[in-house]
Amino acid sequence: MKTVKVLAAIVGVSVVASPVMAASLNSKDRARVARAAPRDRDDVRYCLLKGKEGRDKGTVIGAAGGAGVGALAGGSLGESLLAGAAGAVAGRVIGKSEGTNSECDRVLARNP
């Protein structure tokens, strides 16, 4: 029965992950791109998209990992959901810093 729960969680995460991974900029980020120096606009847009993709990917991976560990540890549905939520928060924080490289960090620092 536990294997069925894990497989169901994996299928659910894969269905949810595909729309989450489609990244677009919000109005605040679009304004930041517009304020950037003309030579840096493409780089700022690219770096903002990469950062967002990293955060989203980290959230999905963390949620799946947390829920999987909760299910494998024999937790109830509520405990597995709680573990998934904690994993999502941790994954988002980790993915936020891992989504960009040092060049993007410099470009974004130059164009606040």
Side-chain angles (χ1 to χ4, degrees):
M1 189 60 143
K2 288 184 183 181
T3 306
V4 174
K5 287 182 184 179
V6 172
L7 290 176
I10 292 171
V11 169
V13 167
S14 66
V15 169
V16 171
S18 51
V20 169
M21 299 310 248
S24 62
L25 296 178
N26 59 22
S27 60
K28 180 181 167 186
D29 289 339
R30 285 192 302 267
R32 186 174 181 181
V33 170
R35 283 192 317 264
R39 64 183 170 88
D40 287 340
R41 284 189 183 142
D42 290 335
D43 294 334
V44 169
R45 185 178 197 299
Y46 172 80
C47 291
L48 289 173
L49 284 173
K50 284 299 175 185
K52 184 172 182 170
E53 287 174 10
R55 286 189 306 271
D56 293 346
K57 186 176 180 181
T59 302
V60 170
I61 292 171
V69 168
L72 289 175
S76 66
L77 179 64
E79 292 168 340
S80 295
L81 289 175
L82 184 60
V89 170
R92 185 168 181 87
V93 170
I94 293 168
K96 188 180 203 179
S97 64
E98 297 297 320
T100 60
N101 57 18
S102 60
E103 181 62 32
C104 279
D105 293 340
R106 284 191 293 274
V107 167
L108 292 175
R110 248 189 346 249
N111 297 286

